[in-house]
Amino acid sequence: MPMKTLRKVLLAVVIIYLFLLLSPVAGFDVARIAVIFRDTPELVLRYLWIGIANGGIFAIVALGYTMVYGIIQLINFAHGDVFMISTFASLTVIAALGATNKSDPGAILLAVIVALVIAVLFGGALNAVIERVAYRRLRNAPRLAPLISAIGVSLILQNLGQIWAGQGYIDFLKPYFGTSGGAAQKAYPDLLGSHDVIQMLTGQESSLKIYGKEIFVVIAAILLMVGLRLFVQRTRLGKAMRATAENRDAAKIMGIDIDRIISITFFIGGGLAGAAAVLNGLYVGTAWWLMGFQAGLRSFTAAVLGGIGNVTGAMLGGFLIGILTSLSDGLLNPAWTRAWVFGVLVLVLIFRPNGLLGSAVGQKA
Amino acid sequence: MNKSIKRGLLLGLASGFLAMLFGGWAMTVLAVFGGILIGFTSRSGSGKPAAFSPQAVALTAFIFSLLTAIGGIIFDRGLADIAVVTGHPSEVTFPAAIVGIVLGTLTALGMAYVQHMPNARTARRINYAVGAVILIFLPIIDHATDLGWAASIIFAGVYIVVAIGLDVVVGYAGLLNLGYAAFFGFGAYATALLSSNQIGVHINFWLLLWIAAAIAGIGGVLLGAPTLGLRGDYIAIITLGFGEIVPVAFQQLIKITIQEPLTCVIIPAIQAIGGGTPTVQCITLVDKLDLTGGVRGINPIDRPVFPIISPEDTPVALIIKVAVMLALVGLIFFFFRRQQRNGKVGPGTMIFSGLAVGLILILFIPIPHTAEGLLAPFWNTFQPGQFASDNILPWWFFLLGIIGLVIFLKLRLKNSRLGRAMTAIREDELAANQMGVDLVHTKLTAFAFGAAIAGLAGAFYSAYVSAVFPDGFGFGTSVIIVAAIVLGGVGSIPGNIVGALIIFLADLLFLKQFQNVLNGLSTHVLMPSIPDQAVRGFIIANFDPVKYRFLLLGLILVLVMAFRPEGLLPTREQRLQFHAEEPVDEEAPTGAA
């Protein structure tokens, strides 16, 4: 059908034209991007690598969304804020251990491991408590009820984070809670330092930097994801989780303790958020009471992009969103990154509502 | 008898606490409103006619107003001095307390008597009349008693309109919209752009009101379109993302440069790849246009002008004004004739038509200034020129008009075919579709309708404040509005109004004054007795209720969902849905089917 093809081509041309016409308003300046690609291609590689490191963190947070959604079809709105609160928890632990980037490597390693363990336990416990208090009694209520409850929990956590971030300090607790007004971002100790691996290997400085901490973040993220996948696929508990996600009533009849499985799912999701919080803190170096909202939105987009309910999809989506945000921050205009992420979310939901790897679970009524 | 004491004590403690923060005539106002409420609710909720027990009502109301008065006296005669906040002299306190107790009890008795009249229609009419009198005279009472609440109530009123609009989307169509403040922003920014010096356009506000609503409505359709095929919680996220971007856009659209891509990108690119130098002249369509003013916002914005006919009018303006006036009067006449033809002309229609015609005439026919008299401020409000910024009256009545219009539209929508289609979609989208409900049309209309109402509110807001800033239209505002309708009861207009009033008055009046008093107490009482500098810093930093506003908001959402998911004033259907004998299982999100 040449007529149909022609119409499609015309439509595509019109859309591309309109995109080129209007997108510069949102920072998409083709000429500038072309110059960056021509003159400093290693900078583009650097942005890509930053995106991968960031994406690893998004992916871990996205896993929490996707697992909870898979098992009770709830967008756990508070998940991003569990991530944020865990960041402050780990910050407090590190401060309590007295570790700074000038400490000796053994102390740093100890601090990182202790912070990781405590943040994981803290995030997991917090998420499980949230489920018990705010969601469990609403399991059979109309759909909007738990969602609104989740928004409420998210607001509570944000406010607590704001207080934790330093509005309510008392002198002897100052080092653990912060020193300035809560609205500002707080510094997270740069324990891993900035060691450029490329420079160490080649001996000369270039725009393409690969920091050791980035490699650490990426490896940790991949290990966590592989571990989670093995857990869900290979263990008895993982099997019970999959059964519950598949059909809660049938799983119950088969003798699975639904409440316990859901609690465990929330615990694992929160624990992953806690781990992501430490990685994010060590990598990005700031903690902020509003960071949960943005991270949550991006990670949720990642989970949807990969196909919500799908563990592998969440990882893929996380890396893709990480790369997208980093390229947008670097090549376009950071102020509009949110808009680009949102645009991708809308496009994905229009053309592939089940995500890149998703089954039909996302749209199950 | 026991129950009425308990009720009086409970309500009285709450109201006494409020009075303890404000003192003065506030306790009288609280006592009277509480009395009206106690009388109004003296009928049992199930609608069964209960025996009228004047003693019980009087006792409840007496205990209530007594506690309120005690709260007020504590504030004026003790707390205000201790906390160093402005109190009232005893010439105000004691008359206010006594008047409050007497009037509170009497109004409760009167209202209770009305509720138990044998003729339910008369009772309803009296209720409406009482409500109307309160609404009309509240700003005057507020001014006379020096409360200073009216400005806050106007802001709360704007959010009442917004809440009613959001409830069309959430309550009727069941689509959770978490970016609703964006449409409020559209209305506000449309008004700001088209009636300020920002781009030099000044459109008459009375026209602009509808343009703003239309722009917001189109925005609603644009947002609604991509969500059509999606299920509830995806819609929530999409709208959330949208609501996040709109403030960014308001902030960033300050240097818009649009270049024609063919001459500026494509041909130069081809030539550059070919190795040549660009030869085409780049066409710039828009160059560094400052549309929204960035974080500075747009300021000042024109205020509405009374359409009063004045000798300085140009002939065109005169013709338009006369034409609009005649059209409005004709509309009322048309309505009256229709009721007459249907044989429905009762006193209600007569009074309504008379009032409406009177109001239109007041708005268009010049009235001479009156220097004195009780109603002088009222008459002097209606003079040619702009709505004054220091006179609350025109804004108050204008806002009442908008709220009335919006309620009217929503009631009409609810009982229409379209409204029933929305309800059907809310209950079961699949079944509704099978029964022939046009999903696309119905959902988009719900989005557009709700957004247009928010646009109206936005237009009023930006004219009232005379400035817009990008940060009032983000997720924070959206979520407060959601909290308001959830608290009041989704799908119920009284619920929307009460929810928005509670949330926004708590935010604007109560928390602020509470902060004042606590702050005064901690500085003047607690501080001197604490030697430790660190502990003092801790108390200063934490004794501030305003810092906990999101915590309180979140708690309200969680608690309401946990203990009263249908809200404070639910519709009958909502109440039954949440409190049926058997838990309705088909809604369970198990995905078993």
Side-chain angles (χ1 to χ4, degrees), chain B residues 16-37:
Chain B
F17 180 63
L18 285 179
M20 207 161 80
L21 293 178
F22 293 98
W25 290 103
M27 58 179 142
T28 323
V29 173
L30 280 172
V32 173
F33 280 144
I36 290 173
L37 213 66

Side-chain angles (χ1 to χ4, degrees), chain A residues 68 72 74 76 124 127-128 131 135 262-270:
Chain A
V68 165
I72 58 168
L74 165 74
N76 184 8
N127 217 19
E131 190 270 334
Y135 306 151
I262 292 177
S263 269
I264 291 174
T265 309
F266 270 86
F267 185 88
I268 295 173

Side-chain angles (χ1 to χ4, degrees), chain B residues 159-488:
Chain B
Y159 290 106
I160 287 179
V161 178
V162 181
I164 290 176
L166 175 60
D167 193 52
V168 172
V169 187
V170 179
Y172 288 4
L175 311 164
L176 183 58
N177 187 338
L178 290 178
Y180 191 67
F183 303 123
F184 183 47
F186 280 169
Y189 265 91
T191 309
L193 270 179
L194 298 177
S195 65
S196 73
N197 291 326
Q198 184 72 15
I199 51 174
V201 180
H202 295 269
I203 297 179
N204 186 304
F205 181 79
W206 304 110
L207 188 62
L208 194 50
L209 191 62
W210 310 109
I211 297 177
I215 289 177
I218 292 168
V221 172
L222 287 183
L223 169 65
T227 69
L228 283 173
L230 303 173
R231 221 203 24 221
D233 24 20
Y234 279 90
I235 296 177
I237 290 290
I238 286 266
T239 50
L240 169 72
F242 178 77
E244 267 291 282
I245 291 182
V246 168
V248 173
F250 287 154
Q251 222 174 77
Q252 296 292 330
L253 292 177
I254 40 175
K255 268 190 207 159
I256 306 174
T257 304
I258 297 179
Q259 294 179 322
E260 203 280 327
L262 209 59
T263 54
C264 295
V265 177
I266 297 170
I267 295 175
I270 293 169
Q271 285 174 333
I273 289 167
T277 47
T279 50
V280 200
Q281 180 65 39
C282 175
I283 302 169
T284 303
L285 299 174
V286 180
D287 192 23
K288 290 191 179 147
L289 174 73
D290 182 359
L291 197 63
T292 60
V295 276
R296 285 183 296 106
I298 298 175
N299 178 15
I301 298 165
D302 299 351
R303 292 167 183 279
V305 175
F306 285 109
I308 290 171
I309 294 163
S310 84
E312 289 109 57
D313 280 342
T314 56
V316 179
L318 202 67
I319 291 171
I320 292 176
K321 282 176 181 176
V322 173
V324 171
M325 179 177 76
L326 290 181
L328 287 176
V329 173
L331 204 68
I332 303 291
F333 183 68
F334 177 74
F335 162 79
F336 192 80
R337 280 303 297 269
R338 208 185 61 176
Q339 295 292 87
Q340 206 175 31
R341 222 173 292 135
N342 297 342
K344 279 202 247 167
V345 175
T349 315
M350 296 264 209
I351 294 171
F352 172 77
S353 312
L355 278 179
V357 170
L359 189 71
I360 292 166
L361 292 183
I362 287 178
L363 275 177
F364 283 90
I365 309 284
I367 314 164
H369 272 279
T370 342
E372 52 206 67
L374 189 66
L375 288 178
F378 183 78
W379 292 124
N380 291 340
T381 295
F382 295 99
Q383 299 300 332
Q386 293 190 340
F387 279 27
S389 53
D390 53 350
N391 187 355
I392 218 94
L393 281 175
W395 302 103
W396 181 273
F397 292 115
F398 178 28
L399 185 61
L400 277 187
I402 292 182
I403 294 178
L405 172 78
V406 167
I407 291 177
F408 174 74
L409 287 177
K410 199 171 156 185
L411 284 176
R412 299 294 294 170
L413 175 73
K414 184 174 187 176
N415 300 323
S416 72
R417 198 183 160 78
L418 191 62
R420 293 198 305 273
M422 287 176 191
T423 315
I425 288 181
R426 180 190 72 202
E427 292 304 325
D428 191 334
E429 197 171 318
L430 199 63
N433 195 14
Q434 290 299 308
M435 300 307 284
V437 171
D438 184 347
L439 293 186
V440 172
H441 175 244
T442 312
K443 282 186 176 181
L444 284 185
T445 318
F447 268 112
F449 197 93
I453 290 179
L456 279 181
F460 178 89
Y461 177 84
S462 80
Y464 177 60
V465 181
S466 192
V468 285
F469 305 101
D471 46 4
F473 308 112
F475 178 66
T477 313
S478 293
V479 85
I480 295 180
I481 301 163
V482 169
I485 65 171
V486 167
L487 175 66

Side-chain angles (χ1 to χ4, degrees), chain A residues 55-108:
Chain A
I57 294 164
F58 289 154
I60 305 174
V61 182
L63 285 174
Y65 275 110
T66 228
M67 286 173 67
V68 165
Y69 194 92
I71 206 155
I72 58 168
Q73 282 79 46
L74 165 74
I75 296 175
N76 184 8
F77 219 92
H79 194 70
D81 298 293
V82 170
F83 167 76
M84 178 269 298
I85 291 275
S86 303
T87 305
F88 284 115
S90 64
L91 184 58
T92 307
V93 168
I94 289 175
L97 291 174
T100 62
N101 53 352
K102 292 185 190 70
S103 312
D104 59 297
I108 287 181

Side-chain angles (χ1 to χ4, degrees), chain B residues 484-547:
Chain B
I485 65 171
V486 167
L487 175 66
V490 167
S492 130
I493 296 176
N496 301 157
I497 296 174
V498 169
L501 270 181
I502 292 179
I503 297 257
F504 285 97
L505 288 186
D507 198 19
L508 295 168
L509 282 179
F510 167 71
L511 272 187
K512 233 167 155 181
Q513 178 70 4
F514 195 38
Q515 179 192 28
N516 268 346
V517 173
L518 267 191
N519 211 345
L521 279 183
S522 68
T523 341
H524 298 283
V525 182
L526 217 51
M527 283 302 122
S529 64
I530 295 171
D532 189 353
Q533 180 73 35
V535 178
R536 265 197 267 173
F538 181 76
I539 290 172
I540 289 176
N542 286 291
F543 264 40
D544 184 356
V546 173
K547 280 184 185 161

Side-chain angles (χ1 to χ4, degrees), chain A residues 106-342:
Chain A
I108 287 181
L109 190 67
L110 180 75
V112 169
I113 289 173
V114 171
L116 255 175
V117 169
I118 290 185
V120 165
L121 292 178
F122 179 83
L126 180 63
N127 217 19
V129 168
I130 290 171
E131 190 270 334
R132 181 70 194 83
V133 173
Y135 306 151
R136 185 169 293 179
R137 66 163 76 222
L138 295 172
R139 216 173 278 160
N140 291 320
R143 286 203 79 92
L144 287 187
L147 192 60
I148 289 169
S149 195
I151 294 171
V153 174
S154 158
L155 291 177
I156 294 174
L157 292 183
Q158 274 186 25
N159 210 160
L160 291 179
Q162 208 175 350
I163 294 163
W164 199 330
Q167 277 196 343
Y169 62 84
I170 181 164
D171 253 12
F172 60 90
L173 288 175
K174 219 178 209 172
Y176 314 120
F177 283 83
T179 50
S180 63
Q185 302 203 2
K186 284 166 55 64
Y188 199 99
D190 186 16
L191 290 184
L192 300 179
S194 303
H195 308 291
D196 186 356
V197 175
I198 298 265
Q199 195 183 359
M200 273 192 273
L201 288 179
T202 61
Q204 52 192 325
E205 194 153 349
S206 81
S207 299
L208 174 62
K209 295 182 190 344
I210 295 181
Y211 291 124
K213 60 181 174 184
E214 289 163 348
I215 297 176
F216 170 74
V217 165
V218 171
I219 290 175
I222 290 174
L223 280 181
L224 278 170
M225 288 184 257
V226 171
L228 181 73
R229 192 162 165 84
L230 287 178
F231 172 76
V232 172
Q233 296 296 337
R234 298 285 167 82
T235 63
R236 220 176 133 75
L237 214 53
K239 206 177 196 175
M241 281 166 63
R242 280 182 291 138
T244 312
E246 191 76 26
N247 188 329
R248 206 189 299 161
D249 292 337
K252 204 170 188 173
I253 293 168
M254 295 297 156
I256 295 172
D257 183 350
I258 304 292
D259 286 341
R260 191 171 142 257
I261 294 298
I262 292 177
S263 269
I264 291 174
T265 309
F266 270 86
F267 185 88
I268 295 173
L272 289 170
V278 177
L279 296 182
N280 184 62
L282 291 174
Y283 175 42
V284 178
T286 51
W288 194 28
W289 62 276
L290 268 176
M291 68 197 265
F293 186 71
Q294 274 306 314
L297 205 54
R298 280 174 194 181
S299 304
F300 179 75
T301 307
V304 172
L305 181 64
I308 198 152
N310 183 321
V311 171
T312 322
M315 304 178 202
L316 179 68
F319 283 116
L320 287 179
I321 290 292
I323 290 171
L324 174 77
T325 50
S326 149
L327 287 182
S328 164
D329 280 347
L331 301 178
L332 311 180
N333 180 348
W336 286 96
T337 297
R338 283 193 247 178
W340 289 107
V341 172
F342 173 70

